[in-house]
Amino acid sequence: MSIREVLARNLKRYRALRGLSQEELAHRADLDRTYVSSLERLQYGATIDVVDRIAKVLEVPAFELLKPDENAAALGSIET
């Protein structure tokens, strides 16, 4: 699983757990909504600074957004 896939999976999961839309997350992190969407669809890679801004909004350590899920990694697919 690529690091972009890991970020996309974790971003979607934590965003859903916080009950945030892509638009609200983007607003709080001072990002464009289409950029958040593109991250979740694996179209863009995020800089470490963007990962940090998103993590702060989601109230998780930045490394959690980049941490592979051992179960998902074994499956080799991304949740949608």
Side-chain angles (χ1 to χ4, degrees), residues 16-69:
L17 285 171
R18 300 295 183 267
L20 295 174
S21 66
Q22 289 177 345
E23 186 173 8
E24 183 61 24
L25 173 63
H27 174 73
R28 292 183 188 187
D30 195 27
L31 299 168
D32 190 271
R33 185 209 50 83
T34 60
Y35 183 72
V36 172
S37 172
S38 293
L39 290 175
E40 290 188 359
R41 290 181 291 120
L42 310 175
Q43 290 186 324
Y44 292 137
T47 66
I48 196 70
D49 294 324
V50 167
V51 171
D52 185 54
R53 285 164 47 189
I54 291 170
K56 286 178 180 171
V57 171
L58 296 175
E59 300 176 335
V60 297
F63 77 86
E64 287 292 336
L65 294 176
L66 302 174
K67 183 178 169 186
D69 177 354

